[in-house]
Amino acid sequence: MARPDSTGSAADFLPDRPTLPRLREAAAGCRGCHLWQVGTQTVFGEGPAKAGALFVGEQPGDQEDRAGRPFVGPAGKLFDRALEAAGIDRTNVYVTNAVKHFKWQARGKRRIHQKPTNSEQAACRPWLELEIELVKPRILVCLGATAAQALLGKDFRVTKSRGELVDSPLAPYVTATIHPSAILRQQDDESRRVELEAFVEDLRKVAALL
């Protein structure tokens, strides 16, 4: 294990003989990039050690940062609804993020999400790679452009390849779709309804492969 003041990458903080519990414990003290000074705490992934599906989002949001758990805010609640509609039990999947700390800027009393930079994503990537390696999911699902490009390359476009299976050594099946937060950002109820239906349809494709 690296010294607590090491910087540059999460690789400096990886435990020997990693398991998910050991990773979670080690990640709590990660100083691999400056975001540990921005977020309240590390928000590590959670779910069964051998989940059939592993979902990767961008980063924790405000409520996740406070709770220390992924996908528990408004987008997470919508994600739960969509999983249920698609016939997937949330307790049987592993959920995590490409970046483990909440990056934000103050706007009044609110903490507003900021997209992590490429270097911040790269610094955090060792955690994600080991999560995928340890869980060994049958299907890996990237939620949103940041997660997809972090794992599938900078040229990947969710808008172009949404819902399609992608050849990748990461898992037997790999695909990408929108992040549930994109549904919440729609301007009216009808647009949100349409986007939610399309999202559920993407998740039904995932369910069919489990």
Side-chain angles (χ1 to χ4, degrees):
M1 183 84 63
R3 298 187 311 274
D5 61 348
S6 294
T7 60
S9 171
D12 296 330
F13 297 85
L14 300 179
D16 296 330
R17 300 184 301 279
T19 61
L20 287 176
R22 286 175 179 166
L23 279 186
R24 184 174 292 107
E25 181 180 0
C30 185
R31 303 293 185 266
C33 78
H34 75 105
L35 291 182
W36 71 272
Q37 297 173 302
V38 178
T40 302
Q41 59 190 316
T42 302
V43 181
F44 206 70
E46 65 178 27
K50 298 300 178 184
L54 190 153
F55 292 86
V56 182
E58 178 188 276
Q59 66 166 334
D62 179 78
Q63 291 190 30
E64 288 81 4
D65 177 62
R66 298 178 192 278
R69 297 181 58 211
F71 287 83
V72 295
K77 290 180 173 60
L78 184 61
F79 181 52
D80 287 348
R81 285 175 48 201
L83 286 174
E84 184 178 3
I88 299 173
D89 186 342
R90 161 99 184 232
T91 62
N92 290 334
V93 304
Y94 191 92
V95 293
T96 191
N97 287 292
V99 172
K100 311 302 189 196
H101 282 105
F102 178 38
K103 182 180 181 181
W104 57 277
Q105 63 179 357
R107 188 175 299 169
K109 294 183 178 180
R110 299 177 62 199
R111 302 193 301 171
I112 305 300
H113 155 275
Q114 282 190 305
K115 181 179 177 178
T117 65
N118 291 340
S119 63
E120 289 160 355
Q121 294 173 48
C124 209
R125 185 181 172 95
W127 298 120
L128 180 58
E129 290 177 337
L130 271 176
E131 285 178 292
I132 296 170
E133 180 181 328
L134 290 169
V135 175
K136 294 181 173 62
R138 178 173 174 81
I139 182 165
L140 173 67
V141 185
C142 301
L143 299 172
T146 297
Q149 290 175 4
L151 289 172
L152 304 177
K154 297 304 178 186
D155 294 331
F156 188 90
R157 295 292 178 267
V158 174
T159 51
K160 180 180 178 182
S161 302
R162 174 179 177 172
E164 298 177 2
L165 293 177
V166 180
D167 287 334
S168 170
L170 294 171
Y173 300 102
V174 177
T175 190
T177 183
I178 62 171
H179 193 283
S181 63
I183 301 171
L184 296 176
R185 290 195 297 269
Q186 296 299 310
Q187 294 185 345
D188 55 69
D189 290 343
E190 178 61 15
S191 297
R192 283 188 286 273
R193 183 190 66 79
V194 170
E195 286 295 334
L196 178 58
E197 286 185 357
F199 184 54
V200 170
E201 187 57 36
D202 289 340
L203 295 182
R204 288 195 178 109
K205 297 177 183 176
V206 173
L209 293 171
L210 290 174

